Amino acid sequence: MAANSSTGSATEPPGLETQWREIDNLNQQQLRAGDSWYLLDKRWYDQWKEYVHTGDQNSSSYPGKIDNTELYEDLDSYHLKERLTENEDFILVPAEAWHKLLSWYDMMDDQPPLERKVVDLPSTVKVEVYPVEVYLCLSSNLESTVSARFSRADKIHAIHQKIRQHFNVSETAESRLWMRSTDTSSERLRNLNMTVLDTCLSSGMTVIMEIRNADGTWPTSRPQIMRNSADEDSYQGPPGVCGLTNLGNTCFMNSALQCLSNTPPLTEYFLKNSYLEELNFTNPLGMKGEIAEAYADVIKQMWSGRHYSVVPRVFKTKVGHFASQFLGYQQHDSQELLSFLLDGLHEDLNRVKKKEYIELRDADGRPDQEVAEEAWHNHLRRNDSVIVDTFHGLFKSTLVCPECNKVSVTFDPFCYLSVPLPVSKERVMEVFYVSLDPTAKPTQYRLIVPKAGRVIDLCAALSQATGIPPNQMAVADVFNHRFYRIYQTDEFLSCILDRDDIFVYTVFIKPGSFISNYLTIFNSYGTSLFGHPLLMSMPRAQCTREALYQLLLKRLAPSSEGEERAEEEESSSEPDRGSSTEEGQSACGSTDTNSQDATDGDQSAGAEPSGKEEEDEEEPASCAQANKRLPGRRHYTERRKKALFTMQAVNSNGTTERGMGEADGTQPYIAIDWDPDMKKKYYNENEAEKYIKHQSMDVPHQQTTVQLQECIELFTTVETLEEENPWYCPTCKKHQLATKILDLWSLPEVLIIHLKRFSYTKYSREKLDTIVEFPLRDLDFSGFLLKKTVNSTEPPCRYDLIAVSNHYGGLRDGHYTSYARNKDNGQWYYFDDSKVTYAREEQITSAAYLLFYQRQDKIRHPTIPPPIPSSTQPENHVSSQTCDGMDGAASCVSMETD
């Protein structure tokens, strides 16, 4: 007999034997992850088995409607009782068996079916009897929660949709989820495609939905904007016209971000939330989507029109986390940051979830069109993202072996063009010339020298200006009151940086030979050095302590009032330090035991004479040689006077502890140690620092001016590979310094051109200040593209400028800013960290470092008229200082860990 239920009549069941056979066969199914199985009360199922086995449809063992009452904790919530046991309290039947039994016998009124999922656990596949029960709420009201049950096989996306439905959250509202296990810690649920099991979400936890504010910030990490005038929340400005706070030497990052922010296709991609569906959390080459999300947050805030300036602190932290070179707050290269960011965004948004291995093929004489299409197709099989869509183009690379003439042709993708600047063969150097005239101050000269020249070329250029023979010059780098380095005449000028303080000294030498040895003099006061050091030479026959002392007095004449006043000072009854005494100490002597080397005859720091020593031969002097000519104890017959300073042999750093290998007689070092009272009375430090500017310093330095097209031509010029980067020739079976030429095959929608202003070699680093003139409109690449237009459907080759990253200053003290054209109103703006001002096209000048061009057919004409600057509007309309802070942190319980 069939039973009726309040919800409708059950279908007529088949015969009892057929019922048993069908259900028993279905129960033999294997468990498969994701399938549904149902719980049945064990007593009802046993009674049904007894009923069908009797073979009598009128038997008293008829089970009636399916009744799971004994499995529920109560009939109000219909929660399953805890700790139920399979085959004792319930049995599990597959979905098809359940639906057959339900159609034959119906179910007790209002009882919900106990459907459960099969989950694939790390060690087994099983039916999940007890699903995960979590609490759901919004971050704006943590007290209002609702409980919901989810299978461990369910994706987080199901929880996301459940919260939206229950709390009536709009589908267009951007949101993110947090998983909170305690009252003090929360964790982002970033990947909505992960399962509940994979995220370790367990019963009793709370899932919180956070909805992005209208100003682009998140309630849990909203920066506080400090302004003296209007409240930040009331500000309404043009979207995208927003500064970026300098967090400490982060102008390089701000400049790159402003340029990317004003790249229309990329910014619209993020503003339309297209990135949410393409976040790649499993890419081993990516950053688990974190760089893309952090960048999206910055863009959302900048284009909300609600901020004068944004604090990119979270973004900076994320960058440093994934690229340790950007940790801390040192200055960096804007192009290096841009390169990392484009690569990071690409991998975080790569639509290819599993990259396949692709074996690359050489052209082997095939047509370029065929090889190029194959290369681009292979590239897209592994790399497919908004970055590829927007910024990637294709090179043709041709290598020719110099030995066997093997030609290798490949097509390679690129993300930006790094073009060289024409390099001048000459270089401007500024030096300080120190003559032998003790009354003359150092003179600063500006010289033109060969860029690849040597130190002797610098001396030759200075010789033309001074008339002093080059072989009577010694060139030194002075740093921190000592000689950082004394250059040999055959050293390359590339080892001298523009920022170095270069001093050129005139010294006496033997006619017809170059200087090899000379005396180095330091000014010292106790343990500290001061003033500029001196290089001196004097005839060996005249090298006595007294003569050296007198010579030094003359050399110090421009900065000292000399010994004339000192002679008026009577020495006390006790011998002062540095005075001539009956003990035989001369003006060069010292009671310091560290100066013993200066009084030990031939074993001193002085230069040893080579060959036969002649009285009139001019050789480097030393105190040691002076001591050879002085008796051990000598009494002055003149009136005793107090010396201004004493002298002692030191090492090349000007300290009394001599270094190993410095007593070889090749270069002595002497410190003149000033008596404190004498220094105060007779030495004028300000006077000692003064110098004269030669008229060559008044000649303005003419910067080289080149056209951008010249730089692109250089980029496509044949070059020979460097020894550090040879090419392996498959024919010769060895590495070769092949010739290489790069040709442009296809160009992207947005073309980034990197002007290689910074030159890094093994010996030097320098910045090229060459002025590069570039067009703001109609940059035509048709003459540079190897691939010629085949039909009218192909995009044109003309580009308009949309953004520029600028670099001002030198290598160590540079500053980055940017110009950019707003995609909505077409107005140009100048971005200098948090400061933003209107800009005219003629202001976009020679400091350009990175150029952003967009293809003309993709440029959208402004739909919003640009604002008209007025005299009442402050020029720096985005110049407020900002600071990080938490708004609503009290109600969002440590979610700021993102």
Side-chain angles (χ1 to χ4, degrees):
M1 58 183 290
N4 295 328
S5 74
S6 59
T7 58
S9 300
T11 60
E12 185 70 27
L16 299 182
E17 182 179 351
T18 302
Q19 289 184 42
W20 169 251
R21 186 172 61 254
E22 289 184 8
I23 298 301
D24 186 53
N25 287 338
L26 290 173
N27 284 343
Q28 306 306 315
Q29 291 181 12
Q30 296 295 317
L31 296 178
R32 294 182 305 177
D35 286 353
S36 291
W37 286 60
Y38 287 78
L39 275 71
L40 268 178
D41 181 84
K42 178 68 164 51
R43 286 190 297 178
W44 186 92
Y45 184 73
D46 287 343
Q47 190 168 348
W48 172 79
K49 283 195 337 183
E50 180 182 344
Y51 168 64
V52 295
H53 285 153
T54 63
D56 183 3
Q57 291 189 352
N58 296 315
S59 170
S60 60
S61 61
Y62 176 72
K65 294 183 179 181
I66 298 174
D67 187 0
N68 286 332
T69 300
E70 294 301 318
L71 301 182
Y72 298 119
E73 191 174 278
D74 59 70
L75 297 182
D76 293 326
S77 65
Y78 288 106
H79 281 182
L80 200 64
K81 288 180 179 178
E82 297 292 334
R83 293 181 293 278
L84 295 177
T85 305
E86 185 178 3
N87 295 325
E88 291 184 12
D89 301 307
F90 65 90
I91 66 156
L92 290 167
V93 296
E96 189 176 352
W98 162 258
H99 289 302
K100 285 182 178 293
L101 290 172
L102 184 63
S103 66
W104 297 336
Y105 295 94
D106 210 339
M107 193 171 186
M108 293 296 292
D109 295 347
D110 300 327
Q111 284 191 12
L114 293 173
E115 180 185 10
R116 295 296 185 262
K117 294 287 187 181
V118 178
V119 293
D120 189 359
L121 298 177
S123 58
T124 185
V125 177
K126 62 180 292 186
V127 176
E128 182 183 44
V129 175
Y130 291 98
V132 175
E133 184 171 4
V134 296
Y135 298 96
L136 312 177
C137 66
L138 299 178
S139 64
S140 56
N141 187 356
L142 297 179
E143 302 303 321
S144 178
T145 62
V146 60
S147 64
R149 290 186 292 272
F150 299 94
S151 167
R152 289 171 179 80
D154 286 339
K155 294 185 176 181
I156 300 300
H157 182 74
I159 301 179
H160 189 263
Q161 290 301 109
K162 184 75 172 180
I163 300 177
R164 280 191 183 275
Q165 295 168 5
H166 189 275
F167 293 101
N168 297 318
V169 178
S170 170
E171 289 291 336
T172 60
E174 188 178 354
S175 60
R176 61 184 185 182
L177 299 183
W178 297 84
M179 174 178 69
R180 189 175 71 185
S181 57
T182 67
D183 290 336
T184 58
S185 66
S186 299
E187 180 182 345
R188 275 282 310 280
L189 293 172
R190 296 180 180 277
N191 190 353
L192 298 185
N193 291 317
M194 290 183 69
T195 65
V196 171
L197 176 65
D198 292 336
T199 58
C200 299
L201 186 64
S202 58
S203 294
M205 292 176 125
T206 302
V207 178
I208 305 167
M209 175 178 281
E210 182 184 17
I211 302 172
R212 192 188 288 274
N213 296 318
D215 65 356
T217 62
W218 294 103
T220 54
S221 56
R222 184 178 182 182
Q224 296 175 349
I225 312 297
M226 297 194 307
R227 284 185 55 80
N228 297 326
S229 55
D231 183 10
E232 175 76 10
D233 291 333
S234 65
Y235 172 72
Q236 287 287 341
V241 185
C242 177
L244 290 169
T245 300
N246 192 319
L247 304 174
N249 283 328
T250 57
C251 60
F252 73 95
M253 180 183 77
N254 294 346
S255 176
L257 284 176
Q258 290 289 6
C259 290
L260 282 182
S261 169
N262 286 279
T263 300
L266 185 63
T267 292
E268 290 172 1
Y269 170 86
F270 280 95
L271 294 181
K272 292 177 181 177
N273 294 333
S274 301
Y275 74 101
L276 293 175
E277 297 299 321
E278 297 185 343
L279 285 169
N280 191 329
F281 299 99
T282 60
N283 186 353
L285 300 178
M287 289 81 175
K288 312 303 180 187
E290 294 185 38
I291 286 294
E293 286 188 327
Y295 178 78
D297 287 348
V298 174
I299 294 300
K300 295 272 188 176
Q301 294 173 42
M302 293 175 67
W303 285 86
S304 68
R306 303 290 186 92
H307 300 296
Y308 293 92
S309 183
V310 166
V311 184
R313 192 178 304 279
V314 173
F315 177 81
K316 168 70 169 61
T317 302
K318 293 293 184 185
V319 168
H321 175 73
F322 290 106
S324 59
Q325 67 267 33
F326 297 113
L327 280 172
Y329 296 94
Q330 291 77 34
Q331 180 63 277
H332 293 282
D333 191 322
S334 179
Q335 188 272 334
E336 290 180 4
L337 186 279
L338 178 68
S339 177
F340 161 78
L341 182 54
L342 289 175
D343 185 63
L345 290 176
H346 161 64
E347 297 295 357
D348 269 3
L349 299 168
N350 199 341
R351 302 173 187 120
V352 179
K353 306 305 180 185
K354 186 176 181 180
K355 297 189 177 186
E356 57 182 307
Y357 171 76
I358 299 174
E359 185 174 354
L360 300 180
R361 298 171 57 197
D362 201 350
D364 288 332
R366 292 182 293 158
D368 283 352
Q369 184 74 26
E370 176 187 338
V371 181
E373 289 177 357
E374 177 184 85
W376 186 250
H377 175 69
N378 288 340
H379 180 57
L380 293 181
R381 287 165 64 186
R382 293 173 55 86
N383 303 278
D384 183 15
S385 71
V386 65
I387 302 300
V388 175
D389 298 341
T390 307
F391 298 102
H392 282 205
L394 204 62
F395 286 139
K396 177 187 177 182
S397 176
T398 305
L399 290 165
V400 180
C401 178
E403 186 171 321
C404 69
N405 293 323
K406 161 70 177 177
V407 178
S408 173
V409 175
T410 58
F411 286 81
D412 305 301
F414 68 88
C415 192
Y416 50 84
L417 296 182
S418 288
V419 299
L421 275 60
V423 178
S424 171
K425 295 183 179 180
E426 294 181 332
R427 175 184 177 185
V428 176
M429 295 188 68
E430 296 178 0
V431 300
F432 295 93
Y433 171 66
V434 182
S435 73
L436 288 175
D437 184 357
T439 64
K441 289 182 171 59
T443 304
Q444 188 180 26
Y445 286 84
R446 179 174 287 162
L447 307 172
I448 306 296
V449 297
K451 196 159 194 174
R454 300 176 186 264
V455 173
I456 188 61
D457 297 309
L458 172 64
C459 296
L462 184 59
S463 174
Q464 292 182 1
T466 62
I468 303 298
N471 63 352
Q472 292 186 10
M473 295 180 183
V475 181
D477 180 0
V478 175
F479 176 72
N480 199 20
H481 313 296
R482 56 176 58 88
F483 290 121
Y484 180 77
R485 183 173 179 180
I486 298 178
Y487 296 99
Q488 300 298 318
T489 55
D490 59 347
E491 290 188 75
F492 284 101
L493 290 175
S494 57
C495 62
I496 300 178
L497 305 182
D498 289 338
R499 66 174 181 270
D500 293 340
D501 289 328
I502 302 300
F503 281 70
V504 181
Y505 297 85
T506 300
V507 290
F508 285 116
I509 62 164
K510 184 177 180 179
S513 63
F514 288 96
I515 297 174
S516 59
N517 303 315
Y518 26 74
L519 194 63
T520 301
I521 310 295
F522 300 96
N523 285 299
S524 67
Y525 172 62
T527 59
S528 301
L529 299 179
F530 63 90
H532 295 308
L534 287 173
L535 277 179
M536 295 177 57
S537 64
M538 63 184 298
R540 183 182 299 276
Q542 300 175 17
C543 184
T544 65
R545 286 178 180 260
E546 183 63 26
L548 185 57
Y549 179 82
Q550 294 299 328
L551 179 59
L552 288 174
L553 284 179
K554 292 179 181 179
R555 296 295 298 170
L556 294 170
S559 58
S560 170
E561 297 183 33
E563 195 163 342
E564 288 77 9
R565 286 185 54 187
E567 289 177 350
E568 299 175 3
E569 302 290 335
E570 290 290 341
S571 60
S572 62
S573 56
E574 293 293 326
D576 291 321
R577 181 176 182 264
S579 62
S580 301
T581 68
E582 293 184 355
E583 302 294 324
Q585 278 192 296
S586 72
C588 189
S590 172
T591 57
D592 192 334
T593 57
N594 286 333
S595 65
Q596 184 63 38
D597 287 341
T599 58
D600 285 342
D602 292 339
Q603 301 302 317
S604 72
E608 292 295 329
S610 59
K612 184 178 179 181
E613 183 179 317
E614 300 178 5
E615 283 293 316
D616 58 348
E617 182 172 303
E618 295 179 354
E619 289 288 345
S622 72
C623 283
Q625 291 162 337
N627 288 337
K628 286 178 67 176
R629 293 169 171 77
L630 290 177
R633 294 177 180 271
R634 174 179 176 181
H635 297 272
Y636 287 110
T637 57
E638 308 98 17
R639 183 180 59 177
R640 290 181 300 175
K641 54 184 178 295
K642 186 172 184 178
L644 301 187
F645 48 77
T646 60
M647 293 179 289
Q648 59 179 320
V650 292
N651 61 16
S652 60
N653 288 323
T655 59
T656 54
E657 294 183 2
R658 301 268 304 282
M660 294 299 293
E662 291 187 354
D664 59 359
T666 59
Q667 188 156 295
Y669 304 92
I670 291 178
I672 55 176
D673 193 2
W674 283 78
D675 178 272
D677 294 334
M678 297 297 102
K679 178 178 179 293
K680 184 176 180 180
K681 289 181 180 181
Y682 306 120
Y683 189 86
N684 188 329
E685 290 196 48
N686 291 331
E687 190 69 22
E689 297 290 334
K690 289 183 179 180
Y691 62 91
I692 300 172
K693 285 192 175 184
H694 185 260
Q695 60 184 12
S696 60
M697 296 296 298
D698 298 328
V699 179
H701 175 50
Q702 296 295 327
Q703 288 183 296
T704 306
T705 301
V706 299
Q707 300 296 318
L708 177 61
Q709 287 83 345
E710 295 180 58
C711 301
I712 299 172
E713 287 175 359
L714 274 178
F715 177 79
T716 58
T717 300
V718 177
E719 64 175 349
T720 302
L721 297 180
E722 298 176 349
E723 293 184 2
E724 296 81 8
N725 187 30
W727 169 64
Y728 183 80
C729 176
T731 303
C732 298
K733 304 298 183 184
K734 62 181 179 180
H735 288 90
Q736 299 280 16
L737 299 182
T739 58
K740 178 180 180 180
I741 183 170
L742 285 177
D743 290 299
L744 299 175
W745 179 261
S746 62
L747 297 177
E749 175 184 344
V750 176
L751 178 63
I752 302 175
I753 301 178
H754 165 222
L755 304 177
K756 297 173 70 173
R757 291 196 176 278
F758 299 109
S759 173
Y760 302 98
T761 68
K762 184 177 181 181
Y763 304 102
S764 66
R765 301 172 66 218
E766 65 173 332
K767 179 190 174 184
L768 303 177
D769 289 322
T770 304
I771 297 175
V772 179
E773 294 184 347
F774 47 89
L776 272 66
R777 297 179 184 84
D778 293 325
L779 176 58
D780 189 358
F781 273 91
S782 58
F784 297 105
L785 272 181
L786 193 64
K787 176 186 178 183
K788 302 303 179 183
T789 302
V790 178
N791 54 61
S792 58
T793 62
E794 294 190 5
C797 304
R798 292 184 179 272
Y799 287 78
D800 287 352
L801 191 71
I802 58 173
V804 181
S805 173
N806 309 298
H807 183 270
Y808 301 95
L811 290 172
R812 291 189 175 182
D813 56 353
H815 181 60
Y816 287 95
T817 65
S818 55
Y819 290 101
R821 178 184 179 273
N822 187 277
K823 69 180 182 66
D824 292 339
N825 61 34
Q827 169 70 43
W828 280 90
Y829 296 91
Y830 180 65
F831 299 90
D832 186 355
D833 291 330
S834 60
K835 176 182 175 182
V836 182
T837 54
Y838 293 110
R840 299 184 303 275
E841 291 185 351
E842 56 267 26
Q843 291 178 272
I844 306 171
T845 57
S846 60
Y849 180 47
L850 297 169
L851 303 171
F852 286 65
Y853 280 94
Q854 187 175 14
R855 210 168 58 218
Q856 286 181 345
D857 66 310
K858 293 293 185 178
I859 293 179
R860 185 183 66 189
H861 294 290
T863 56
I864 303 174
I868 302 174
S870 65
S871 58
T872 58
Q873 184 179 23
E875 180 188 7
N876 304 331
H877 62 282
V878 184
S879 58
S880 61
Q881 290 184 331
T882 60
C883 67
D884 267 352
M886 287 295 298
D887 186 11
S891 63
C892 293
V893 212
S894 299
M895 292 183 191
E896 66 272 18
T897 54
D898 184 46

